[in-house]
């Protein structure tokens, strides 16, 4: 999140009311995911998809907390990362437009 957007969310009291939808998760190259995430070479495509979604979720949540820490410091506060992690949960959903169309 860019600085202005984070500040506006913080000022409006909406910082804990965000949900991220990670799209464009349709194309998955097993070999690339195996290499990037350090998975075993025999990992299946399904295992790679699950691992990639978990990685995206963890990374988004970590970046979200980093933003809170940065905003707290900018306000002259001493942020406690652990309590921020407990207070704010960022739901992240990885979705596939192709799979959604198959279900519809």
């Amino acid at each position: 999140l860019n600085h202005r957007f984070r500040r506006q969310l913080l000022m409006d009291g909406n910082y804990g009311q965000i949900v991220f939808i990670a799209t464009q998760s349709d194309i998955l190259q097993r070999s690339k995911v195996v290499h990037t995430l350090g998975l075993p070479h025999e990992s299946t495509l399904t295992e790679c998809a699950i691992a990639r979604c978990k990685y995206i979720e963890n990374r988004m949540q970590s970046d979200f907390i980093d933003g809170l820490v940065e905003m707290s410091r900018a306000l002259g506060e001493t942020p406690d990362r652990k309590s921020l992690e407990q207070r704010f949960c960022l739901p992240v959903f990885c979705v596939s437009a192709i799979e959604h169309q198959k279900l519809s």
Side-chain angles (χ1 to χ4, degrees):
L1 300 175
N2 74 32
H3 185 71
R4 279 187 180 159
F5 185 62
R6 285 185 299 197
R7 180 175 294 192
Q8 189 63 48
L9 287 171
L10 188 62
M11 289 180 357
D12 292 345
N14 293 325
Y15 215 84
Q17 300 176 3
I18 299 175
V19 173
F20 274 93
I21 309 298
T23 60
Q24 298 186 0
S25 59
D26 295 325
I27 300 171
L28 180 70
Q29 293 179 338
R30 192 188 67 76
S31 60
K32 185 176 180 181
V33 175
V34 164
H35 175 72
T36 303
L37 298 182
L39 299 177
H41 291 288
E42 62 277 358
S43 296
T44 65
L45 192 59
T46 300
E47 291 168 332
C48 288
I50 291 168
R52 183 180 69 173
C53 287
K54 191 65 179 166
Y55 170 80
I56 291 168
E57 179 182 337
N58 290 339
R59 182 64 190 265
M60 292 294 296
Q61 290 173 345
S62 179
D63 288 350
F64 180 72
I65 297 299
D66 289 347
L68 289 171
V69 168
E70 182 183 321
M71 293 297 292
S72 295
R73 287 188 180 137
L75 295 171
E77 300 171 357
T78 305
D80 178 10
R81 186 176 184 89
K82 287 283 185 199
S83 70
L84 289 172
E85 289 171 348
Q86 291 173 351
R87 184 173 169 208
F88 295 101
C89 175
L90 176 68
V92 178
F93 299 95
C94 294
V95 298
S96 164
I98 292 171
E99 295 303 319
H100 178 269
Q101 288 174 345
K102 288 179 184 178
L103 293 172
S104 298

